[in-house]
Amino acid sequence: MLQQIIQILPQVIIDGLTLGFVYAVVAIGYTMVYGILELINFAHGDVFMTGSFIGAAVLFFMMSVGFLSSLPSLIVFIIVMAITAIVTGLMGVGIERVAYRPLRKRNAPKLIALITSIGISFVLEDVVRFFAELKTGNYIITSPPLFNQKMTLDIHSVMPVFNKITFQSSFILVFIVTIIMLIALDIFVNRTKWGMAMRAVAQDRETASLMSINVNRVISITFFVGSALGGATGVLFMIQYGTIDPYIGFILGIKAFTAAVLGGIGNIRGAMLGGILLGLLEMFAAANLSTITHGAMGAEYKDVFAFIILILVLIFKPEGLFGKAVVEKV
Amino acid sequence: MIFGWMNQFAQSKRSQIIFFAAYVVLTSLGLYFIQDSVIAFLLLLFSILILYYLKLSNKAKWIMGFLILAILVPLSASHGSAYQSYMEVGTLVGIYAAMSLGLNIVVGFAGLLDLGFIAFFAVGAYTYGIFASAQASKFMPFGHYPLPGDTFWLFIIAGALIASIFGILLGIPVLRVRGDYLAIVTLGFGEIIRIVLNNMDHPINITNGSMGISSITPPDFFGISIGNSSQFYYIVLAIFMVVMYIVTKLEDSKLGRAWKAVRDNEIAAQAMGIPLVRTKLAAFAIGASFSGMMGTVFAAKQMFVDATSFTYLESTMILVMVILGGMGSVPGVILGAAVVTILNTQVLTEISNWLNQLSTTGAIAIPDALSPAKMQRLIFGILLIVFALYRSQGLIPHKNKKVNAEELKKAASEGSSSPEAGSPSPETALVNESRTTGGVDL
């Protein structure tokens, strides 16, 4: 049994990293908003989903115009990513304006903000479903092939304990792009003036506003950055996994939130690590659960696995693996 | 002058009763003679809402409401072909109203956002489904299955108990979690239950997996097998009445006030000596038990259960009912449940059919994607946003019971002079204060 697990380990790591990077970037959106507003933005998973659909739409458009065959696919990819990121970023700003800012002004209880965010996520899901179904007749969409050459890394011949690994070329793309996004974000938050303002607002909103920081604008920028990253990751998801539907955002959103909690909510680097860790754990579970339990539990329990991690972390270490404990004050 | 006269008319108790009686007679006659008119049926149901606003004693309202629902509605609808479908709507409204009363305890009274509430419904439904079909013989070493239909009545209680045990089991770990994390943990719990139910066909076949459990024995009432919606209507009505009675009693009990205190300020409530965990657990258990009871009825009515009836969408639907009606407001939540259920089962499908007809006759081409029956999520989403932003107190806002402060003080001072009543307890003082300040709207 152990040998079997070790054999497929490299493949599991590759798949887990791919999924983990997706979780990591989406988790950042949750963690940034939570850090600043102490609000679980339920709509974020659906912003990710909308991003993947916008990406698909742009890609289909470019295909119909003929760009896809005439331009190198890397340039097409960059254009798609840029358009999607800007659109979803603006969408995030809009969501904050419509759904959260009025509540913040009124000082409404947190419960109400949670409820509006659930409402927004439902509206997004249905609007996307409507357009997808209107255009294609089916809400499940298969993306046009891009970066789907199969690659094989024959480590079996070097280290016979392992099996061969196969992956799509899009894996490399996901890997590189998410790392670029993560580093860029880290620099943005830690080195720039806006990033400093963001950290200040997260620390203490009122004092920050006394230090002549425009709190509302900082919140808007946070939503823009988080949603743009989420939307761009949606494009990566679409290219990597091929099929998308309007309901992918829900489960993926919860898992990304789990990742954010795992890394300590409000902590951006923690969210990155939490995402990667969760992706690896989940893939490991999906691949080996059936072997470990002798067929009693199959890969269909991988979602349960992620939720159990969430519940365990929240109960035993609610501050996360990399966060600080917060004391609730009166 | 007309206004003055109208005002006088509206204030007078007798004219109110006359008006109400005329309304009820008119709508029930309307339903009796125009059988296929959904509007007449809905107008008749609407009389319950009018009844709520009449200036009558509570007892009279209960009796009249019961008479209308138990006798007048079935009688005037029983005439035509649409009878069963009307009663089906009535049954569903009852099921959802009882469930949303349960969620109202958790969300509205105790202020704990539960996004996986449907899980308890699923537990109740599967409890009856497994034992009242041949499914149980696949894993139970003893006993003869399916159990006969007259055990259904026991299963209503069993469903409530098992669901409340699940509520406590969920609550024990979850309630230690800080406020807004609770929402996501309960959501995760709801999904876990659904996935587990969907996959428990191996290694031991307990729930028959994604195939679901079929041919569930219908309940048996002294030898009469209950299979029609018109018969289930009475079961649901009876349970609903019991649930409503319990909730209204609970709301002003010590426990109910403890819930509201926890909702308004957890730390302050703890400082006042309210045991946090026990109070929250009680909310979870009681809320879940209503859901479990109705789950049993649901399984018996559908004669089939599978995991697709217990998704996140359903949990949110019940949340929409609570938010729409007004968190913490019992009449509001019932209204919310009725509105959402009727919208979902009647209005949307009617509009979809009508639009379909239009497109087939070629009047206007409506794309299939726009069909309102598919727009549930959009409608629920918009309802949630609009109500949370603009009317967070809901359709019928929650009212705190009015207490006359002077009388209470007098009663307390009189009580202290008589030896058996004891000194004025700090509890009464607390009640007094929280009532007059009116509490916090959520």
Side-chain angles (χ1 to χ4, degrees), chain B residues 201-245:
Chain B
D201 49 351
H202 61 273
I204 309 168
N205 189 350
I206 296 178
T207 64
N208 209 17
S210 51
M211 307 278 287
I213 298 172
S214 50
S215 59
I216 296 169
T217 321
D220 212 42
F221 186 68
F222 294 115
I224 310 163
S225 174
I226 294 179
N228 286 336
S229 291
S230 54
Q231 292 159 320
F232 276 110
Y233 176 77
Y234 285 101
I235 300 178
V236 169
L237 186 65
I239 299 179
F240 170 66
M241 285 282 182
V242 171
V243 164
M244 200 167 129
Y245 180 77

Side-chain angles (χ1 to χ4, degrees), chain B residues 65-66 74 124 147 158 168 249 252 266 277 285 345 387:
Chain B
F66 181 75
L147 292 175
I168 292 172
K249 282 285 162 212
D252 288 316
E266 210 165 273
V277 172
T345 56
F387 271 81

Side-chain angles (χ1 to χ4, degrees), chain B residues 347-360:
Chain B
V347 180
L348 289 186
T349 42
E350 287 283 322
I351 297 177
S352 304
N353 290 342
W354 182 66
L355 286 179
N356 270 342
Q357 261 173 13
L358 278 187
S359 347
T360 43

